[in-house]
Amino acid sequence: MKRVFRIWFLSVTTLAAILAFSAATYAWFTSNRQVSTNTASARTGEETLELQVSSTGGGGFRSEETAAIRQVNSQSQERLMPVSTADLVNFVYTPSTNGGMASSFKKVENEEYLYHGRLYLRAAGTGWPASARLKLYLDQSDGVLGEASGTLLTASRLGLTFDGAASSAVILRLTEEESPRAQQNYNTVIGGQTLGKNQVLSWTGNGVRAVSDPSQAITNYTVSFQNASVTEPARPLLEMELNHIYTVDVYFYLEGCDPDCSDSVSYQAADIHLAFYGVIDRKEGG
């Protein structure tokens, strides 16, 4: 037995960027980040359900119509340089390039050069069995997830982690469009080999190694609608216990190993829009 409902999550992040994989590139965040929600609730007999969002967690959780995504890292946000990661835990960057090629790397300290924000979600419900779970997806039916004046989003990544669990990390590509081939840039070198497409850097503790890019198309977690029916993706972002407050860590960064991370995205602006879609599932025996 399933009931569906929707809640809108809107993160408006305007980004004007000077971006390239070199030592002299920066990006500028120019607007506040907010979450706007149209709270939707479901009621069936004695069952009630509401997906709530808040800027604060724990005892300070308060369901809000508009909740700010609180920045977690203490960076000034005046500079956003290309970085690379395979897990949203360890990020690396290049301090300099040699002949336009990046071959030396350092671990990013204090989450410099990337944006990290946080908000809190709760599926508040009564009358459901203890086994019930809310399967959380994304929804693009009333708007796009990313808009950019140019090719900025092609090199961007959106990372989500729930309750601080590394195993829950999801890295998403906001678009499957690519820059024209002439504007793509393959300039990451490891062990004398130039990285190809779909490779990123993983921190080994004292250096880096090339690994497969773990990012997925955002459509892999997005519901679709046709003829009044809903098609769920193969996997949810998260299966939420009812009445448990979940921490949602939001990362936005430029993947420096992406061939689209080049001068072609200089001085770009982007708005990112997210919407969550929930499906309640009683689970077997519930």
Side-chain angles (χ1 to χ4, degrees):
M1 179 179 179
K2 297 180 179 179
R3 296 288 184 268
V4 300
F5 67 96
R6 303 167 67 187
I7 181 169
W8 286 107
F9 170 94
L10 173 61
S11 172
V12 181
T13 305
T14 300
L15 181 67
I18 308 173
L19 304 172
F21 202 35
S22 71
T25 57
Y26 310 89
W28 308 88
F29 285 96
T30 59
S31 75
N32 295 328
R33 296 159 180 78
Q34 291 186 329
V35 180
S36 298
T37 68
N38 294 323
T39 303
S41 60
R43 182 178 180 88
T44 305
E46 297 302 315
E47 299 165 344
T48 66
L49 188 62
E50 182 178 31
L51 185 57
Q52 301 172 336
V53 63
S54 174
S55 296
T56 56
F61 187 98
R62 297 291 183 275
S63 182
E64 302 172 72
E65 183 67 22
T66 301
I69 304 177
R70 300 281 178 84
Q71 184 181 354
V72 176
N73 51 347
S74 58
Q75 304 306 312
S76 66
Q77 297 187 113
E78 292 180 349
R79 298 196 298 178
L80 183 71
M81 292 180 65
V83 298
S84 189
T85 185
D87 55 19
L88 299 180
V89 176
N90 297 303
F91 292 81
V92 299
Y93 75 104
T94 182
S96 62
T97 58
N98 184 2
M101 305 298 284
S103 57
S104 62
F105 303 91
K106 290 185 177 181
K107 184 179 179 181
V108 173
E109 300 294 341
N110 301 317
E111 296 187 326
E112 195 173 9
Y113 310 135
L114 60 113
Y115 173 72
H116 178 190
R118 183 173 293 160
L119 66 144
Y120 302 86
L121 292 176
R122 177 172 64 190
T126 60
W128 299 93
S131 60
R133 297 290 185 270
L134 177 76
K135 296 192 293 184
L136 193 68
Y137 304 103
L138 294 170
D139 175 13
Q140 298 187 66
S141 60
D142 289 337
V144 294
L145 284 162
E147 296 177 313
S149 58
T151 55
L152 175 63
L153 293 183
T154 60
S156 301
R157 298 289 189 272
L158 176 72
L160 300 174
T161 302
F162 300 91
D163 266 3
S167 60
S168 73
V170 179
I171 301 176
L172 302 171
R173 299 186 300 272
L174 293 172
T175 178
E176 295 304 285
E177 295 182 3
E178 297 181 344
S179 301
R181 185 175 296 274
Q183 295 178 356
Q184 295 183 3
N185 203 1
Y186 294 87
N187 62 350
T188 305
V189 179
I190 301 294
Q193 299 294 317
T194 301
L195 267 63
K197 192 174 182 179
N198 301 322
Q199 289 184 293
V200 299
L201 300 179
S202 175
W203 180 250
T204 64
N206 55 10
V208 298
R209 63 185 178 95
V211 299
S212 298
D213 184 356
S215 67
Q216 304 178 58
I218 202 162
T219 52
N220 287 357
Y221 292 92
T222 303
V223 294
S224 59
F225 303 88
Q226 187 175 13
N227 300 325
S229 65
V230 180
T231 301
E232 301 172 32
R235 293 180 56 190
L237 287 168
L238 177 69
E239 290 197 7
M240 302 174 63
E241 295 181 17
L242 301 191
N243 302 309
H244 174 80
I245 298 172
Y246 286 87
T247 302
V248 184
D249 285 281
V250 181
Y251 300 86
F252 184 76
Y253 63 97
L254 300 173
E255 177 51 66
C257 292
D258 191 311
D260 291 318
C261 192
S262 68
D263 287 328
S264 64
V265 297
S266 297
Y267 294 99
Q268 300 290 315
D271 294 324
I272 299 172
H273 308 271
L274 295 178
F276 287 132
Y277 191 99
V279 177
I280 191 70
D281 193 342
R282 288 180 178 271
K283 295 294 186 181
E284 292 296 327

